[in-house]
Each structure stands twice: as C-alpha cells, then as structure tokens.
C-alpha cells in the first residue's frame, strides 16, 4: 500500500469504528453534542499521531518483551499532556469530557495502531496511518454527534437551527437523543450502513461481519 | 528487532530512558500550563463571588466577571478578633485565597470534622468578605465558607442581606460530591429555597438549619431527599461558619453598629 492509501483507507473502507469495531466506548460517551465531540476527535488524532510517530521512530530499539508497556507509556504521556492543555485552554469543554479524555489511553484504536502498524513501518507512513485512522474515528464521531445534537436539541455547535416548540418554534426535540442509548442505535445504523455500502474485504457472501479477530479487543 | 534487543540490561536501559523522557515531557507540560489553569480557577472563583453578589454570572464574559468583581468592596476580617483586619496582613486582598492552603488544609478540616470539633479550623483566621454597595450603602455581604461533605470538601459563598441576618443567596463554588446525587446541592431551585431565610434568633443564636422536617419556615431549609448527607453537611458547614467560631461574633458587633467606622452598613439592631 502507498502512503496515500495508509491515509485514505481508514476513512471508510477500513474505518476503525465501523469495520474494526474499535474505540466505541468514547464514541458513545462524548457524542451528545458537536462541540465536545470535535475537541475529543482532535485530542484522539493528536494522541494517535504522537504515539505512532514515537513508536515508529523507536521501533528498532524497543525490546519485544516490554513493547506493550512502552507503547502505553507514550500513549499515556500524550493523553496527560492533552488533558492539561484542555484544562488550560478549554476548561468548560474539559469539564464536559471529564474522564473520557483520560480514557483515550484505553482507546483501542490508539494502542491498536501502535502495535499493528507503527511497530512495523517508518515514521512518515505511521503518521499518515495515524491521521487516516484519527480522521476515520472523527468522521463517525462527528456524524453521530451532529445527528444527536440536531435531533435532541435542535442545534448545531450550540447554535439553534430548528426553533424548539417549547420556545415558540415548531420543532419538538427528541429527548431520547440526548441519552447514551441513542448513540448505540445511531452507531449501529452507521456500522450497518457502511458495511452494506462497502462490505469489508473478508466478510462472507452471507454478509456476516468479518474481522472477528479484532472484536475481542474492544472496550 | 533482533534477539539481541531482548537482553535484560538493554531492556532495563530502554525502559528507564523511555520513563525518564515521558516524565520530563509530562512535567514540563504541567509546569508550563499551571499559570493558565490557575488564572481560570481564579476567574471561576470570582464568577461564584459575583453570582453570590446577585449577578446572573453564568452567562457573563470574562471581562464582565472581572469588572463586576472589581466593583465589590473587599474587606479582610479577623475571625479571632471579630473585627476587620488591615488588608496588608495578607498582601493583595483581592487575589488572596484563604483556601489556597490546599490539600493540607482540606485534610486538616476533615480530621477536625471527624473528631467532632465545632467551627472552622484555625488556619482560616483571616478571611476576605465581599460587600455589595450602592451609593455607599450596604446591599449584601458575601461570606465564604467551607466544610466537609460526604466525600469532599464543599466550598461556597453565602450572601446576607443588608440587615446581616437574612440569607440573600447561596452559591456552591466547588465540591467533589457524587454526580447525580450529592451534586444536587447545586440545583438552582434548592439554592433558591435558602433565599430570605433568617439566620439568628433574638438571642443571637444560629437558628438557620437544613432539616428533614421543616417546622419553622423562617429558619428551616428542607433537606434534599436522596442527597440528605451532602445537603445536611452543607447546612452544618454554614451553621459552623455563622456560629461563635466563625462569623458570629463579627456579625453581631457589625449589626450592633460597633464597626461603623470600619465597615459600611450595620447598626440594624441596637
């Protein structure tokens, strides 16, 4: 695969959420409205790029026996720095995201890319892979968040788009969209839609989901 | 990635260097960002003070919060002497934070609470209070308080009306209580139920209380069912701070007009 493919294939065809079913936990938790989802997406991309780059640079030096610990050390350090940055420059968003910034450490996309890709590829390819997977995660997260905020509160990025019935408008907001279970339904539909549109390469003719080898890793 | 890479000495060396590098990175980031975070914390504290002073602070911009805060009349009081203290005792009284003793003070407070000792701990001898003035006449007095909640220390501001005997408003500044349970002490409806409650009876005893069965509507605030431990603890903290170990003696002298030369207002009972 070329570097361009490392960047583009995780967007849809090999999307970490819809195809590999990774990183669902935070995608469910922070998708209630668009602004925190946006910050979360940027944070995950930053952590992914940093960890992939560092691990790729050091891949010849890292002893195999402690490679997972070293990968997690880099990821955790990047997450703490991102968390501190948010606390300093976006304290209100930081409060909304609360523990979920810290939980990027356990996001399997990050550790998955470090272990499966950065350990075996050069720094530039690894950064491209990080950007591609980060963007694939961001795309799904923002899609779900935009739908939830629009249907649940009639707004996007906090700006009222649909005038609410309670404030003299015509739109009765769907309260359910503001609760966590709605993210399950929406994410399920996104996964179904994307898999029907672009079946993963190793899924059988019957349409049973492939990539089972990843599924046990999910948190 | 040869087998040689796995010799114990090299493993140890790589692990040490990675740990050192990462900790240096994290420590640098935390050190560099601390001043910015502290500035936010100060802004949030001032927002809480301004809210207790009666402004609709939640939607105010940073500039509005700062300007409303600067409009307040800040005085340093000495709780032991029951009198105003010279502001010079703590340097700049506007940025002085009598809570800044941090975790050490927190644990001192919790120890004291567990031992059943009454009143605020001795480290908070000098406390800043914030007065709302209109044409030089006292409208409200904002008094900081804190006390042990269920899991954490509760910090807040209680504003008294100009008679220094009725609650004007109550604002919770900071707490670490259970989300969805203990944090209901922040519920605007419940906080509004404090408004207009009387603090002291004719003998000067604190009668204001959070109680399960409100019997004296002038003094009693209904407990939050489902968050009774936290809301009761909040009531205890406020009672302790208004009592003889806290603002009690100062407020009594102030109401009697004995502090007329030092503090505006007062003299509401003779």
């Amino acid at each position: 695969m070329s570097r361009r493919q490392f960047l583009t294939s995780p967007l849809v065809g090999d999307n970490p959420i819809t195809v590999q079913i990774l990183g669902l936990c935070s995608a469910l938790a922070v998708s209630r409205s668009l602004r925190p989802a946006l910050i979360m997406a940027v944070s995950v991309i930053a952590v992914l790029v940093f960890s992939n780059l560092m691990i790729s640079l050091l891949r010849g030096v890292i002893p195999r026996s402690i490679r997972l610990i070293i990968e997690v050390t880099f990821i955790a350090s990047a997450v703490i720095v991102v968390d501190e940055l948010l606390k300093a420059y976006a304290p209100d968003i930081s409060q909304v995201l609360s523990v979920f910034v810290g939980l990027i450490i356990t996001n399997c996309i990050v550790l998955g890319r470090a272990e499966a890709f950065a350990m075996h590829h050069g720094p530039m390819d690894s950064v491209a892979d990080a950007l591609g997977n980060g963007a694939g995660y961001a795309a799904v997260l923002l899609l779900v968040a935009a739908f939830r905020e629009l249907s649940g509160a009639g707004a996007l990025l906090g700006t009222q788009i649909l005038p609410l019935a309670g404030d003299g408008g015509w739109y009765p907001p769907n309260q359910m969209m503001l609760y966590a279970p709605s993210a399950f339904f929406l994410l399920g539909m996104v996964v179904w839609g994307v898999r029907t549109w672009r079946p993963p390469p190793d899924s059988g003719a019957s349409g049973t989901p492939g990539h089972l080898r990843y599924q046990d890793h999910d948190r | 990635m040869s087998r040689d890479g796995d010799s114990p000495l090299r493993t140890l060396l790589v692990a040490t260097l990675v740990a050192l590098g990462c900790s240096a990175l994290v420590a640098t980031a935390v050190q560099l960002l601390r001043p910015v975070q502290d500035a936010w914390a100060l802004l949030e504290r001032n927002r809480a003070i301004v809210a207790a002073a009666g402004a609709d602070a939640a939607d105010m911009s940073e500039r509005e919060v700062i300007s409303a805060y600067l409009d307040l009349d800040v005085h340093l009081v000495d709780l032991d002497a029951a009198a105003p203290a010279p502001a010079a005792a703590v340097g700049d009284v506007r940025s002085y934070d009598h809570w800044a003793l941090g975790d050490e003070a927190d644990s001192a407070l919790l120890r004291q609470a567990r031992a059943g000792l009454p009143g605020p701990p001795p480290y908070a001898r000098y406390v800043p209070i914030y007065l709302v003035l209109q044409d030089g006449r006292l409208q409200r007095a904002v008094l900081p308080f804190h006390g042990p909640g269920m899991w954490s220390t509760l910090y807040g501001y209680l504003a008294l009306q100009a008679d220094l005997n009725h609650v004007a408003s109550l604002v919770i500044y900071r707490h670490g209580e259970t989300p969805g349970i203990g944090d209901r002490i922040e519920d605007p409806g419940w906080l509004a139920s404090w408004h207009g409650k009387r603090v002291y009876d004719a003998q000067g005893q604190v009668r204001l209380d959070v109680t399960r069965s409100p019997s004296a509507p002038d003094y009693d605030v209904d407990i939050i069912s489902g968050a009774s431990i936290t809301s009761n603890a909040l009531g205890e903290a406020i009672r302790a701070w208004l009592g003889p170990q806290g603002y009690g003696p100062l407020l009594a002298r102030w109401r009697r007009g004995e502090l007329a030369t030092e503090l505006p207002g007062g003299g509401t009972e003779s």
Side-chain angles (χ1 to χ4, degrees), chain A residues 98-113:
Chain A
S98 64
V99 297
F100 292 101
V101 177
L103 284 177
I104 296 176
I105 297 172
T106 65
N107 187 320
C108 286
I109 298 174
V110 186
L111 186 60
R113 293 332 289 172

Side-chain angles (χ1 to χ4, degrees), chain B residues 22-43:
Chain B
C22 284
S23 46
L25 175 78
V26 169
T28 313
V30 171
Q31 276 300 317
L32 289 179
L33 295 171
R34 181 60 43 85
V36 189
Q37 294 173 354
D38 286 351
W40 277 110
L42 188 62
L43 182 72

Side-chain angles (χ1 to χ4, degrees), chain B residues 3 5 15 19 21 39 67 73 77 89 93-94 104 127 162 174 178 224 235:
Chain B
R3 282 278 136 218
S67 108
D73 195 28
V77 296
V93 70
R94 283 204 181 270
E104 207 176 309
V127 177
R174 206 168 69 193
T178 321
I224 305 177

Side-chain angles (χ1 to χ4, degrees), chain B residues 93-106:
Chain B
V93 70
R94 283 204 181 270
S95 58
Y96 169 61
D97 183 359
H98 67 292
W99 291 327
L101 294 128
D103 297 343
E104 207 176 309
D106 266 11

Side-chain angles (χ1 to χ4, degrees), chain A residues 28 179-189:
Chain A
L28 294 172
Y179 294 103
S182 71
F184 268 108
F185 310 147
L186 290 174
L187 208 54
M189 285 186 217

Side-chain angles (χ1 to χ4, degrees), chain A residues 61 63-64 77 84 87-88 91, chain B residues 5-6 10-11 22 36-37 40:
Chain A
V61 189
R64 282 203 64 76
S77 306
E84 293 289 322
K87 277 185 193 149
Chain B
D6 273 6
R10 236 193 80 184
T11 304
C22 284
V36 189
Q37 294 173 354
W40 277 110

